[in-house]
Amino acid sequence: MADEPRPLSARSSSGLPPSVARVAARTRLSAELLAAILTVDGRSRATLDDMERADALADVLLARRRQRVDRHRPELARPARHG
């Protein structure tokens, strides 16, 4: 079991600034989507179009995830007021 990759949600980006953690999550998701595209198509090499499509899909999926979180946890979507 130790050799199994952890799902995206279980991977820790703790210690990273939020903007860096977002880029890291998008990069991981994009790579996983690219691998899935190639698997589904039965290919071993990616084209630039494949990479751009995987990146665009990752962008859309992460935006949807942020929207769901914002809807369910509005206190996280609002900046904290000080003072």
Side-chain angles (χ1 to χ4, degrees):
M1 276 246 216
D3 293 335
E4 291 181 26
R6 292 180 293 163
L8 284 176
S9 59
R11 292 181 187 165
S12 175
S13 295
S14 63
L16 294 176
S19 60
V20 175
R22 281 191 299 273
V23 170
R26 180 177 170 191
T27 302
R28 281 192 303 268
L29 182 57
S30 182
E32 289 184 26
L33 288 166
L34 180 59
I37 289 168
L38 294 177
T39 299
V40 168
D41 289 351
R43 294 184 287 132
S44 61
R45 293 185 183 198
T47 66
L48 180 58
D49 286 342
D50 295 328
M51 290 182 264
E52 289 175 343
R53 182 169 180 82
D55 196 43
L57 288 167
D59 228 6
V60 169
L61 289 171
L62 291 174
R64 286 182 179 181
R65 183 180 298 163
R66 279 191 303 274
Q67 288 174 348
R68 280 193 310 270
V69 168
D70 290 351
R71 268 196 312 265
H72 293 10
R73 309 258 329 252
E75 70 277 4
L76 295 177
R78 285 187 231 121
R81 291 187 180 180
H82 297 286

